[in-house]
Amino acid sequence: MSAIQYLSAFRLYGWDVLLLAGVVSLLTTLLKKTVFEGAPKKLFVFLPFAIGIVLYAVYRAIVTLSVQPFTSDFTMTLEGGFACGCAATLYYVIYEQFFRKADGSDDTGLPDTDGTPETDDAAGDTADDTADEAPHGEENADTGAAISPVAPLLEGYVPEETRYAVANDLFEGAQGRTGDDLRAFVRETLNAAAPVATDAELAALTELIVSYLTSLMRS
């Protein structure tokens, strides 16, 4: 996706969702570096959406001065919270695509693409890091090559060396597909690309990616 396409995607969301998505990004990063440090990468695929739902529910409860966002309006809360998670994921992809430093350092506090600390950098072994990362596509953000917005949702499920290719296949192959056709395409792609995922994980990941792609294709 180009910068114009990303900006177009953000037009889907209201200012409240975009602001909450920023908070979701910060909280996800904080939890990743503290409470959930060392947790499986799979957790961070769903964490922004879970945080988004909680934050959106609290926000709507404050605005409406009622508990309806937790009760009768919970469907609306889920939709708004999911939108916050989508926007937060887009923030992350835009950072990777357009703002990540050429040396792979991270001054903003956002998570690295692979979600692991750069231990070799602390020892000054930056040249080896660059060589190690080359096959995995992290430098795509540094060279200006396009990074699929689906890539963050595959961490922990699709092997790192094929993650970007699979993400691009999903994004490009989803164009023109809707409903069960899109769902079947995503599930078939994930079946082949995510050998470590259980049936339950594949089902949940399929629904997440289908909803995410659907929201992106509305732009």
Side-chain angles (χ1 to χ4, degrees):
M1 289 177 71
S2 66
I4 297 299
Q5 287 175 302
Y6 282 117
L7 291 176
S8 180
F10 280 127
R11 291 173 57 191
L12 294 170
Y13 309 115
W15 64 268
D16 52 349
V17 168
L18 294 177
L19 287 176
L20 288 171
V23 179
V24 170
S25 297
L26 292 175
L27 286 177
T28 300
T29 300
L30 179 63
L31 290 173
K32 187 172 185 178
K33 294 181 179 296
T34 55
V35 177
F36 296 129
E37 185 176 10
K41 295 179 184 178
K42 298 176 182 180
L43 172 66
F44 303 108
V45 172
F46 298 95
L47 187 60
F49 298 92
I51 295 175
I53 291 171
V54 173
L55 284 182
Y56 193 81
V58 172
Y59 160 71
R60 290 300 302 167
I62 293 174
V63 169
T64 61
L65 296 178
S66 70
V67 296
Q68 289 182 349
F70 296 94
T71 56
S72 59
D73 290 344
F74 191 65
T75 299
M76 186 181 298
T77 297
L78 289 177
E79 293 176 354
F82 186 83
C84 292
C86 286
T89 303
L90 281 175
Y91 285 157
Y92 171 73
V93 176
I94 288 174
Y95 163 72
E96 285 290 305
Q97 177 71 40
F98 301 107
F99 297 104
R100 189 172 185 177
K101 286 190 170 186
D103 62 0
S105 64
D106 184 355
D107 291 339
T108 65
L110 291 173
D112 292 333
T113 301
D114 61 1
T116 56
E118 299 292 343
T119 53
D120 288 341
D121 283 348
D125 194 10
T126 57
D128 289 345
D129 285 345
T130 302
D132 290 342
E133 290 175 358
H136 304 314
E138 273 78 4
E139 71 287 312
N140 284 2
D142 307 329
T143 61
I147 295 177
S148 168
V150 184
L153 303 184
L154 302 179
E155 291 188 22
Y157 291 98
V158 177
E160 194 172 354
E161 61 271 14
T162 60
R163 186 185 307 150
Y164 285 95
V166 173
N168 283 324
D169 288 344
L170 283 168
F171 183 71
E172 293 172 3
Q175 307 305 311
R177 299 177 187 266
T178 59
D180 290 339
D181 183 33
L182 175 59
R183 185 171 288 101
F185 165 71
V186 171
R187 183 60 183 258
E188 181 179 350
T189 302
L190 292 177
N191 275 333
V196 299
T198 65
D199 288 342
E201 288 173 334
L202 281 175
L205 187 60
T206 296
E207 292 304 316
L208 178 61
I209 292 176
V210 166
S211 298
Y212 185 48
L213 286 170
T214 300
S215 69
L216 290 178
M217 289 188 292
R218 289 175 186 162
S219 60

